[in-house]
């Protein structure tokens, strides 16, 4: 077990770490023990005003910094993040609950994201449009949209910040990050590497406090020109409406309820092992976590057996302890949600194969849980469980699978397994989703799009598409003098 200590987290405004103006703090709790481990500064209006002033000033400096120099500073930040991964990972585990290996993986992946956007900064090309008249030049120039307000959740404390932060910096924007109060220290360490790399004061600002109060103050403020939010669909719709009232650009990465479609010709052993790994990653608290397993009748019993076997192999415990491959749920709300889902599944006649209980009386530990033959009107089949719960139901025909996959208003991620190229092409075409991976895990890389459709939001936080919402295209038509 690591002996790392947990730091108290301060605000970062205009290049300076410090307390809130009122000196207010709130506690941070370790989800594995239920005990307070530190505090985080709680920003109020005076702090937000300082952050807004700093972001406005920082934008004026950063937009004039060449893309080449922005990229150089970002690559330096990525290198610092890799160097500090061993120190940051236990901090993330203590505040979030995920295992140490998952935490380190998240830190290292964050460095990859920074490097990807550093290169995109140098390739945010405009274009020349052929003119109708001789001597006329028609140019499209890409300009940074302005200061950004970013709102991020607790499930991936670094990953959710780094995509928004890196895209904004690459485009030449300044940013105010409202990071999660429950997991504040690891995103603060991410911000620190950028400050230590030499990003000018005011370009990056970090605040914590009341999420509703901060969003309702920052989004309408005239300094802010764009928002980016990751979180629930309910909150996302509210913030998108608020942004729309003030004509602010918005990127929304919202909830999902990912279907996994296993066809009769799939490699069941590989599918079960791979999808169990993905299901219990971060204790199922992942927006793209597989949730509704739809298995064709010919391999249904075999898949259930293999998946249950894999689920029983998961060792749950304190993420700091070696050998554990699933840590605590991040907060008591998630434990309560799991209990509600289990009780509801019992009422709806679900067949329990493993799990269904809390583990111990300290911390937020819950057993990997597998339920089959659960009715479509149950809670877990309609509301994202966001925990270590897998529901497995059989289907007969291709059309049956598509109907169920598309039944809900969500469309973030989907998975499919088949050895038929024809079936793979057909399922990719007909499932309404922003992302689909077939026969392997291929989502969330820095270079590929990341985002959903329908109630799962709009815009991308990955790939070359991700930088575009942070840029304004300006058309310039010029005749020779």
């Amino acid at each position: 077990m690591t002996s790392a200590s947990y730091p108290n987290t301060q605000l970062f405004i205009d290049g300076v770490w410090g307390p809130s103006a009122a000196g207010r703090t709130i506690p941070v709790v370790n989800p594995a023990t239920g005990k307070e481990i530190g505090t985080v500064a709680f920003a109020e209006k005076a702090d937000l005003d300082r952050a807004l002033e700093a972001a406005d000033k920082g934008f004026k400096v950063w937009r004039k910094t060449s893309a080449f120099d922005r990229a150089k500073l970002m690559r330096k930040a990525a290198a610092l993040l890799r160097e500090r991964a061993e120190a940051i990972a236990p901090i993330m585990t203590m505040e979030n609950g995920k295992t140490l290996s998952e935490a380190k993986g998240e830190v290292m992946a964050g460095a990859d994201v920074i490097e990807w956007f550093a290169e995109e900064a140098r390739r945010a090309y405009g274009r020349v449009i052929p003119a109708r008249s001789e001597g006329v030049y028609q140019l499209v120039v890409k300009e940074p949209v302005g200061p950004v307000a970013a709102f991020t959740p607790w499930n991936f404390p670094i990953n959710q910040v780094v995509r928004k932060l890196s895209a904004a910096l690459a485009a030449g924007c300044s940013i105010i990050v409202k990071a999660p109060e429950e997991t504040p220290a690891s995103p603060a360490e991410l911000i620190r590497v950028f400050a230590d790399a030499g990003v000018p004061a005011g370009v990056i600002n970090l605040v914590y406090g009341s999420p509703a109060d901060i969003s309702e103050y920052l989004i309408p403020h005239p300094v802010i020109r764009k928002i980016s939010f990751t979180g629930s669909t309910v909150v996302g719709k509210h913030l998108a409406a608020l942004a729309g009232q003030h004509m602010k650009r918005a990127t929304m990465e919202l909830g999902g309820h990912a279907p996994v479609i296993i066809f009769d010709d799939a490699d069941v052993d590989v599918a079960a092992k791979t999808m169990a790994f993905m299901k219990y990653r971060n204790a199922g608290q992942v927006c793209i976590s597989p949730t509704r397993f739809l298995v064709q009748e010919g391999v249904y019993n075999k898949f259930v057996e293999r998946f249950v076997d894999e689920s029983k192999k998961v060792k749950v415990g304190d993420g700091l302890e070696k050998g554990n491959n699933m840590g605590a749920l991040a907060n008591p709300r998630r434990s309560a949600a799991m209990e509600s889902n289990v009780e509801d599944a019992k009422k709806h006649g679900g067949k329990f194969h493993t799990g269904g209980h809390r583990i111990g009386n300290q911390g937020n530990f819950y057993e990997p849980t597998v339920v089959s033959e659960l009715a479509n009107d149950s809670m877990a089949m309609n509301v994202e469980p966001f925990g270590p719960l897998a529901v497995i139901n059989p289907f007969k025909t291709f059309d049956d699978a598509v109907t169920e996959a598309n039944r809900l208003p969500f469309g973030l991620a989907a998975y499919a397994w088949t050895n038929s190229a024809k079936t793979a092409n057909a399922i990719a075409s007909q499932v309404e989703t922003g992302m689909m991976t077939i026969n392997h895990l291929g989502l969330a890389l820095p270079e590929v799009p990341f985002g959903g459709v329908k109630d799962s939001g709009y815009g991308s936080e990955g790939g070359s598409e991700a930088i575009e919402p942070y840029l304004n295209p300006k058309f310039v038509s010029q005749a020779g003098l």
Side-chain angles (χ1 to χ4, degrees):
M1 181 174 179
T2 181
S3 59
S5 60
Y6 186 85
N8 293 326
T9 305
Q10 296 182 310
L11 309 179
F12 185 68
I13 298 174
D14 202 13
V16 177
W17 295 96
S20 67
R24 183 179 174 186
T25 64
I26 53 176
V28 179
V29 174
N30 184 334
T33 65
K35 296 179 181 178
E36 181 177 335
I37 53 175
T39 62
V40 56
F42 190 97
E44 299 185 50
K45 182 176 179 296
D47 304 296
L48 300 181
D49 285 336
R50 287 195 299 123
L52 287 160
E53 182 180 359
D56 192 34
K57 181 188 72 173
F59 175 59
K60 292 179 174 65
V61 173
W62 194 240
R63 71 175 302 174
K64 294 180 181 179
T65 304
S66 71
F68 179 86
D69 288 332
R70 295 198 300 266
K72 189 161 57 175
L73 286 174
M74 292 177 70
R75 287 197 299 274
K76 185 176 180 181
L80 288 174
L81 189 60
R82 289 194 180 98
E83 289 175 9
R84 299 174 186 179
E86 292 287 350
I88 296 173
I91 292 172
M92 186 186 297
T93 294
M94 283 187 279
E95 64 187 8
N96 173 271
K98 66 181 62 181
T99 64
L100 202 56
S101 62
E102 286 183 334
K104 184 179 178 182
E106 182 175 339
V107 178
M108 297 299 282
D112 292 344
V113 169
I114 298 169
E115 282 191 340
W116 163 260
F117 280 105
E119 294 303 311
E120 287 298 285
R122 302 195 301 167
R123 292 171 175 80
Y125 302 127
R127 69 185 193 275
V128 177
I129 302 172
R132 298 186 180 191
S133 302
E134 185 177 359
V136 172
Y137 292 90
Q138 298 183 138
L139 310 176
V140 178
V141 180
K142 300 288 184 70
E143 296 182 338
V145 69
V148 175
F151 306 90
T152 65
W154 45 260
N155 60 331
F156 287 93
I158 282 181
N159 177 275
Q160 301 287 12
V161 175
V162 76
R163 289 177 177 270
K164 305 173 192 303
L165 175 58
S166 300
L169 295 186
C173 300
S174 61
I175 190 169
I176 301 174
V177 176
K178 205 298 290 180
E181 291 72 29
E182 290 174 307
T183 57
S186 47
E189 293 305 311
L190 170 67
I191 301 300
R192 195 182 307 279
V193 302
F194 282 95
D196 292 349
V199 174
V203 175
I204 304 172
N205 303 276
L206 174 67
V207 298
Y208 304 89
S210 165
D213 291 344
I214 292 176
S215 60
E216 289 179 10
Y217 189 69
L218 291 185
I219 292 173
H221 199 283
V223 164
I224 298 300
R225 304 303 298 271
K226 172 181 165 49
I227 71 166
S228 181
F229 172 79
T230 299
S232 72
T233 295
V234 172
V235 174
K237 286 182 176 182
H238 173 71
L239 297 188
L242 184 58
Q245 291 174 17
H246 299 274
M247 296 305 294
K248 304 291 177 74
R249 285 195 181 190
T251 300
M252 291 282 156
E253 197 261 286
L254 309 180
H257 205 321
V260 184
I261 304 170
I262 313 290
F263 290 97
D264 278 343
D265 59 357
D267 187 326
V268 171
D269 291 332
V270 173
K273 185 173 184 177
T274 305
M275 297 317 301
F277 166 80
M278 190 63 181
K279 172 70 259 184
Y280 302 118
R281 175 180 170 234
N282 200 24
Q285 301 165 125
V286 185
C287 57
I288 59 172
S289 181
T291 51
R292 293 174 293 149
F293 289 74
L294 315 175
V295 185
Q296 202 158 17
E297 290 178 336
V299 293
Y300 177 74
N301 290 331
K302 181 180 179 181
F303 181 85
V304 170
E305 180 184 348
R306 297 289 193 275
F307 190 87
V308 170
D309 287 345
E310 294 296 331
S311 301
K312 290 179 177 179
K313 294 176 185 177
V314 176
K315 187 177 180 183
V316 183
D318 192 324
L320 295 176
E321 298 282 356
K322 289 184 179 180
N324 293 332
N325 44 29
M326 192 179 99
L329 292 166
N331 51 61
R333 300 188 305 277
R334 300 321 312 154
S335 295
M338 281 294 297
E339 291 179 334
S340 295
N341 270 292
V342 165
E343 289 305 310
D344 181 81
K346 290 177 180 177
K347 292 177 182 177
H348 283 84
K351 182 179 179 182
F352 282 77
H353 297 266
T354 189
H357 304 93
R358 292 187 62 148
I359 300 175
N361 54 14
Q362 177 179 280
N364 309 317
F365 297 102
Y366 207 95
E367 295 175 335
T369 302
V370 182
V371 184
S372 68
E373 300 170 37
L374 189 59
N376 270 359
D377 61 349
S378 65
M379 179 188 301
M381 286 297 287
N382 292 277
V383 179
E384 184 179 21
F386 220 65
L389 171 64
V391 179
I392 308 177
N393 284 342
F395 72 87
K396 289 184 179 181
T397 69
F398 178 93
D399 288 343
D400 292 338
V402 170
T403 298
E404 171 55 29
N406 293 339
R407 177 177 60 87
L408 299 182
F410 308 106
L412 185 59
Y415 305 80
W417 292 81
T418 176
N419 281 323
S420 163
K422 179 180 179 181
T423 302
N425 290 336
I427 201 68
S429 172
Q430 295 194 39
V431 173
E432 297 166 350
T433 184
M435 300 174 282
M436 172 168 265
T437 182
I438 302 173
N439 293 334
H440 77 132
L441 300 179
L443 307 181
L445 299 171
E447 62 269 25
V448 303
F450 190 94
V453 297
K454 303 195 294 186
D455 275 7
S456 292
Y458 46 76
S460 176
E461 294 207 318
S464 57
E465 293 84 357
I467 196 172
E468 290 300 322
Y470 296 84
L471 294 166
N472 282 327
K474 177 186 281 184
F475 172 62
V476 179
S477 182
Q478 175 183 319
L481 299 178

